[in-house]
Structures are given as structure tokens and as C-alpha cells.
Amino acid sequence: MQYQLLKSVSLLWKRSEQYLIKSDSGNKNLKVNHRLIPRLRYILQTISTKMDLNSSVVPPVEVKGMTVLNKEAFTTLVKIPGVKVPKQDIGKSQKIWKSLLFKVRGLKPVCELGDNDPERKTHSLILLDPDKTKLDALSPEQLETLKQFGLDVNNPVLYEVKLKYENWSTADIMRAVLPSDFDNVTSFTQIGHIAHLNLKPESLPYKHLIGEVLLDKAPSVKTVVNKMGTIDNTYRNFQMELLAGPENYVTQTKEHNCTFELDFSKVYWNSRLATEHQRLVEIIPKKSIVYDVFAGIGPFSVPLGKRKKCKVFANDLNPHSFEYLKRNIHLNKIDTDCVEAFNLDGRDFIRTIVKQDVLDRVKKMHEKLGGKNTAITDSGEKVQEDIREGHNSSFVIMNLPAIAIEFLSEFNRILEDLPQHLRRTEILEAVLPVVYCYAFSPKTDFETELKSRAELSLGHSLPKDYSIRIVRNVAPNKEMVCLSFKLWSDLVLGLSANESGENVKRNSSATDLELGTEQKSKKMKLIAE
């Protein structure tokens, strides 16, 4: 009962998680601390796995400490409770005992009786899980039905069953072999045919055994590797050690109806970010303009181009990522006019590609409005309506958590050479993109820490409507988070408070450029600290 309750709570949490969204200031939705989500999920998964493994049926104790796989050593005879059920009653009674079946790989829990059993022709043997048929684990209905079939719960008839290596699960084997906690090896990330482990130091003596077991037990796994060291910040890849299988790191994987090809030894890919990829793709409206500064092989860019028909400028410094990005654009049958690939340093990409496209859109908007320097007055409502009509939202994605925050400085003064007649607040507000910047931050007071770093990089205080949310927990004291905010006029034009006021007088009413009037003093405060 405890196990079923745990599974129900886990399922309910997973279904509810997508609705637990941090509310906006004017929204009445429930406000949730996102840090609770990964923590509770981890606790539920850990407890659930431990309960699954808390079984009286285990491999022989002699395999403990084995470092070279010997499959024969896992053969053992176990005694399992069972009941003889008339063959004619199996169909109508299975609802009662189906959940109590003894289930192991390669063994049928409903089987024929032995040749010498007098009831062989009329009855079948139902093997029951010894841990699920204990008195305190059975419902009254189950207990009554089992008694009718002759099972004495306190003294059940036991049947001898031979179990071999092939019958044991990966978790059974790891728990039996390793002296340390099985949790560090029973979970792995799979990318196509590659299983990727991140073994703890105490498990390294058993690494090749672990690799062989995974090859045997996971049919779709052909190559097993272990991560060595940390991710290189330049190209976002890491050293790996081959544990089992052929040294073939070129593979294909699918994510949200898109196909991705990659060489896992040369590019960065993290399947655990699939939920975040999906989340951001869903947030960004169709036909938006997207600047993907650290695009990798395209986990954001490809679905945005394929599913949302966005105009995407996708960039990555790693030449291998760049080649696979182009390959994935082709694999997913995306027009190269929709997703353009670049192989630039992130700073150069912002200074050139992003800047030029934003400038082009400012000019087009100015031309659309007839080149008039109309202020936002009573007649200015028509101007705002013209801006909204046919306007495409724009977004900057900066998914390089280790250092992306440092690249925010490139947006400071990025349009400082914008001609005076184009410095129209209403146009800039419409054209400037929303930024999604990913970062790593310590668990303790992560919002304050990240806000301080972002403002130091920007050289300005963040706008009031910025937001920070937790993406996932990556280490005991480390969170991956996402900072989002919209670029604003003062920042991109590099205006001080006085210059901002003069610009407002020239191009719009005095209320249009309120944001950023105190930026200079706040910047000086940050520098002083």
C-alpha cells in the first residue's frame, strides 16, 4: 500500500508540475518556489527505486565486490510462494492476483505445473512476489481470494525457481556487486545508441563491469562511456572514457518531434534539458525572430524553425557544432532562409549579426511609419497601432550557463551609433528583443547573486519586470537558472540620465523613457561595491 501511495503521489506531482508557474505581479495564479520541483522529484524517484529494490529475492552474496563480469556466478535457486489456480478460473480471478505476480526478466509468472504433478492438466501455477504477499501488504479481497486457492499467507507453499544472470535487472546486479550506493550507476543518460554515465570515484573500480551490464540489459545501447573531468567552456564538450561497446560516437536522437545528429565526443548535448527546450519553444510565439547565441547543434533553433516557423539566427563557436547544426537544419527539412547558421564567437555574433538585424528592423519600422518623427500624443495612438500591426516579437537565447552572463555586456551601447532620427522610443521598445540568459548559481540566495552579476555585466540595473527561475538542480549546492528581461533604450543607446531626458524631448513625450534614468548612479554603486 505504501508503494502504491508513493507511485500515485509521484504521478500526481509530475502531472501538476507544468501548472505550477510563477505568477506575474497582476496574476492570481499560484506562486511556487521552483526549487521544490527538482528536489521533490529526486526524493520520490530515490525512495521509489529503493522500495523496488527492497526485495528478499537477490543474487548470490558471492558476487559482492566483483570487478570482472562472471555471468555464471549470478545463477541461484530461490523459493517463491505460489498457488495452483484452476485454468478455467484464471481469467476471472486475475484481477485479484495480477498485481501480486512475481515478475523478473525472462520468467513467466503464470506457468505449467511439473510433469509429476497430478493437477498438471487442470491447474496452472501462479508465482507470487514474496514481498507483496505478506499479510500486511494484502487487501482483504486479495487475502480472501488467495485463501480460496489454498494459499496460507503465514506458511505459503514454496516453489523452487532457478534464476540466472539473464533474469536479474541492472539494479539487482549493481546492488549485489557494488559496496557503495547503487544510485550512482543505475541511472544514465542515453543519446541515441550511447549510454552516458557520470560515475562517482568509489564506483570506478567496477566501471567496465558496469558498462558490460548496461550493454546486456539495455537493448538499444551499443556504446557505454563515462564522463571524465568538467565541460570545457570553449567548445562545451568533455573528455570521456569508453567502458564497453564500439568507439562509435556519431549518433542520432529525437527530441520533441525533431531529429538531431551529433558526434557526442565533439559537441555538447544534454538530454536532461529536453523539458527546458520544450518550455522555451512553447513560450516563443510563431514567426518570431530569434537570436540563438550559443546554439550548439540546434536544440532550440531547430524546433523553433520547424514547429514555430521562426526566423532564427543560430550561432556556435565550436566548428563541429556548427557543421551538425547545418546538418540538423537539413535533416528536419527546414529552409535555410528560416534558420541561418553562423560559426562566430558569441560576442562577435552579438556585435555584428544581432546588431545589424535589429538595426534593419528599426529602419523598416521607421519607414513603415512614413519616416515621421511623430510624438506619442493623442494622434500617436495611430502610430502605436501601426507598430503593433504585423510586428514580430524577438528573442535572444543565451544557453551557456558557465559564462553566458558575461556576454550581456555586449548589449550595453550596442546601438550607440544609431542615427538621431531613428532614436524613437516607441520603435525601439517594439523592436528590442527579450533575453533568456542561462547561468549557474549557488542555491543560497541565488536570485540576489545572479541579479548582482547580471547588472555588473550590463553596467545597468535590471528593469523591474525581470524574472529568474530555476531550470534544474545540477549539484548539491548548484542550480541552473534562467534570467529573462527585455532590452531597453537607455541600455542599447548607452544613455546617461541627462542624455535620456534629451532624447525623450526630441522623439516622444516625457513619459516614454522612464526606464534607465537612474542607471548611471546605480552602475557607479555597483563599481564601488
Side-chain angles (χ1 to χ4, degrees), residues 85 143 239 260 329 485 488 507:
V85 178
L143 188 60
Q239 291 184 330
F260 296 93
I329 293 170
F485 62 94
W488 65 99
N507 295 291

Side-chain angles (χ1 to χ4, degrees), residues 189-196 221-223 225 248-251 264:
T189 301
Q190 186 168 348
I191 308 95
H193 69 273
I194 302 170
H196 166 219
V221 171
K222 306 301 179 185
T223 299
V225 299
N248 177 16
Y249 300 135
V250 177
T251 189
F264 191 55

Side-chain angles (χ1 to χ4, degrees), residues 417-525:
D417 55 352
L418 187 68
Q420 194 65 48
H421 70 281
L422 296 178
R423 297 190 174 205
R424 298 180 58 180
T425 307
E426 67 273 21
I427 293 179
L428 289 175
E429 288 180 350
V431 170
L432 290 177
V434 172
V435 175
Y436 290 100
C437 182
Y438 292 88
F440 293 130
S441 190
K443 280 187 175 182
T444 306
D445 203 13
F446 68 92
E447 289 196 25
T448 301
E449 189 273 342
L450 182 61
K451 180 175 181 288
S452 176
R453 281 198 290 142
E455 291 182 336
L456 189 61
S457 181
L458 286 167
H460 279 259
S461 295
L462 285 165
K464 293 180 180 179
D465 58 351
Y466 80 92
S467 68
I468 299 175
R469 61 177 173 82
I470 291 181
V471 175
R472 70 185 189 99
N473 178 250
V474 295
N477 295 305
K478 188 178 183 181
E479 307 278 13
M480 179 179 176
V481 297
C482 181
L483 165 68
S484 59
F485 62 94
K486 184 176 174 63
L487 296 179
W488 65 99
S489 301
D490 282 7
L491 176 72
V492 299
L493 296 175
L495 297 179
S496 65
N498 291 335
E499 291 170 330
S500 173
E502 290 301 316
N503 189 63
V504 170
K505 293 177 183 179
R506 284 193 294 265
N507 295 291
S508 67
S509 68
T511 60
D512 286 329
L513 259 178
E514 294 178 356
L515 186 60
T517 54
E518 299 179 8
Q519 305 290 8
K520 186 176 181 180
S521 61
K522 291 184 178 180
K523 176 181 177 182
M524 296 304 294
K525 181 180 178 182

Side-chain angles (χ1 to χ4, degrees), residues 79-144:
K79 293 185 176 181
I80 304 298
V83 292
K84 297 178 182 179
V85 178
K87 293 183 178 180
Q88 62 188 26
D89 293 338
I90 287 180
K92 61 183 178 182
S93 64
Q94 67 173 335
K95 181 180 179 181
I96 302 299
W97 46 257
K98 189 174 182 180
S99 63
L100 307 176
L101 290 176
F102 178 63
K103 297 180 180 179
V104 295
R105 184 194 300 255
L107 180 70
K108 295 181 179 180
V110 181
C111 52
E112 296 293 328
L113 291 165
D115 293 338
N116 298 326
D117 195 301
E119 297 179 304
R120 173 179 172 79
K121 293 184 178 180
T122 59
H123 289 66
S124 292
L125 176 64
I126 311 296
L127 295 175
L128 303 173
D129 190 316
D131 298 304
K132 295 180 181 178
T133 51
K134 294 176 181 178
L135 187 60
D136 60 352
L138 296 170
S139 69
E141 186 180 13
Q142 289 173 326
L143 188 60
E144 181 61 29

Side-chain angles (χ1 to χ4, degrees), residues 160-229:
E160 201 169 70
V161 177
K162 186 177 184 178
L163 295 179
K164 301 180 179 181
Y165 171 81
E166 291 74 19
N167 301 120
W168 301 113
S169 68
T170 303
D172 292 328
I173 294 172
M174 297 307 173
R175 180 180 57 146
V177 170
L178 300 179
S180 55
D181 189 354
F182 67 88
D183 283 343
N184 59 4
V185 292
T186 53
S187 62
F188 58 90
T189 301
Q190 186 168 348
I191 308 95
H193 69 273
I194 302 170
H196 166 219
L197 294 164
N198 190 5
L199 295 176
K200 296 180 180 179
E202 59 267 28
S203 298
L204 292 178
Y206 311 91
K207 60 187 178 183
H208 292 295
L209 179 145
I210 293 168
E212 289 185 63
V213 172
L214 288 180
L215 279 187
D216 290 336
K217 300 299 181 179
S220 60
V221 171
K222 306 301 179 185
T223 299
V224 183
V225 299
N226 181 43
K227 175 183 175 182
M228 298 174 64

Side-chain angles (χ1 to χ4, degrees), residues 186-471:
T186 53
S187 62
F188 58 90
T189 301
Q190 186 168 348
I191 308 95
H193 69 273
I194 302 170
H196 166 219
L197 294 164
N198 190 5
L199 295 176
K200 296 180 180 179
E202 59 267 28
S203 298
L204 292 178
Y206 311 91
K207 60 187 178 183
H208 292 295
L209 179 145
I210 293 168
E212 289 185 63
V213 172
L214 288 180
L215 279 187
D216 290 336
K217 300 299 181 179
S220 60
V221 171
K222 306 301 179 185
T223 299
V224 183
V225 299
N226 181 43
K227 175 183 175 182
M228 298 174 64
T230 58
I231 292 177
D232 177 85
N233 282 334
T234 302
Y235 285 163
R236 290 200 293 175
N237 51 17
F238 51 81
Q239 291 184 330
M240 63 180 70
E241 179 184 16
L242 180 67
L243 300 185
E247 194 173 2
N248 177 16
Y249 300 135
V250 177
T251 189
Q252 281 193 1
T253 187
K254 288 187 176 291
E255 186 175 283
H256 307 309
N257 298 318
C258 294
T259 301
F260 296 93
E261 185 174 299
L262 63 140
D263 184 332
F264 191 55
S265 66
K266 296 179 179 178
V267 305
Y268 177 81
W269 180 267
N270 190 343
S271 299
R272 294 177 180 176
L273 291 175
T275 300
E276 180 61 20
H277 298 154
Q278 172 83 350
R279 184 199 299 264
L280 202 57
V281 169
E282 292 302 323
I283 288 175
I284 294 176
K286 288 185 177 181
K287 297 185 177 180
S288 294
I289 297 160
V290 179
Y291 312 103
D292 196 350
V293 184
F294 312 107
I297 66 167
F300 288 117
S301 296
V302 169
L304 284 170
K306 181 177 181 178
R307 294 168 45 198
K308 290 299 191 75
K309 309 301 179 185
C310 293
K311 170 61 179 177
V312 184
F313 299 86
N315 174 72
D316 202 273
L317 177 62
N318 184 342
H320 301 291
S321 296
F322 172 65
E323 291 301 324
Y324 280 107
L325 172 60
K326 292 191 295 182
R327 171 66 177 155
N328 292 327
I329 293 170
H330 175 73
L331 275 178
N332 290 276
K333 300 179 181 179
I334 304 171
D335 194 323
T336 53
D337 289 335
C338 290
V339 181
E340 293 186 56
F342 301 88
N343 182 208
L344 299 170
D345 176 81
R347 294 186 185 277
D348 293 335
F349 177 72
I350 294 172
R351 291 170 186 158
T352 57
I353 306 302
V354 176
K355 176 180 179 179
Q356 187 58 53
D357 188 68
V358 171
L359 181 59
D360 290 344
R361 291 193 296 121
V362 168
K363 291 178 179 178
K364 288 179 182 179
M365 185 71 74
H366 183 71
E367 292 172 2
K368 180 181 177 181
L369 299 179
K372 300 175 182 178
N373 248 355
T374 310
I376 305 292
T377 57
D378 293 338
S379 61
E381 294 179 3
K382 178 64 169 63
V383 176
Q384 292 286 37
E385 183 179 338
D386 290 341
I387 290 175
R388 288 191 297 267
E389 185 181 347
H391 170 63
N392 297 97
S393 301
S394 59
F395 302 86
V396 176
I397 302 174
M398 304 176 72
N399 184 25
L400 185 57
I403 58 173
I405 207 86
E406 300 171 15
F407 288 70
L408 292 177
S409 61
E410 296 304 319
F411 295 112
N412 190 331
R413 299 179 177 273
I414 191 172
L415 296 181
E416 65 178 345
D417 55 352
L418 187 68
Q420 194 65 48
H421 70 281
L422 296 178
R423 297 190 174 205
R424 298 180 58 180
T425 307
E426 67 273 21
I427 293 179
L428 289 175
E429 288 180 350
V431 170
L432 290 177
V434 172
V435 175
Y436 290 100
C437 182
Y438 292 88
F440 293 130
S441 190
K443 280 187 175 182
T444 306
D445 203 13
F446 68 92
E447 289 196 25
T448 301
E449 189 273 342
L450 182 61
K451 180 175 181 288
S452 176
R453 281 198 290 142
E455 291 182 336
L456 189 61
S457 181
L458 286 167
H460 279 259
S461 295
L462 285 165
K464 293 180 180 179
D465 58 351
Y466 80 92
S467 68
I468 299 175
R469 61 177 173 82
I470 291 181
V471 175

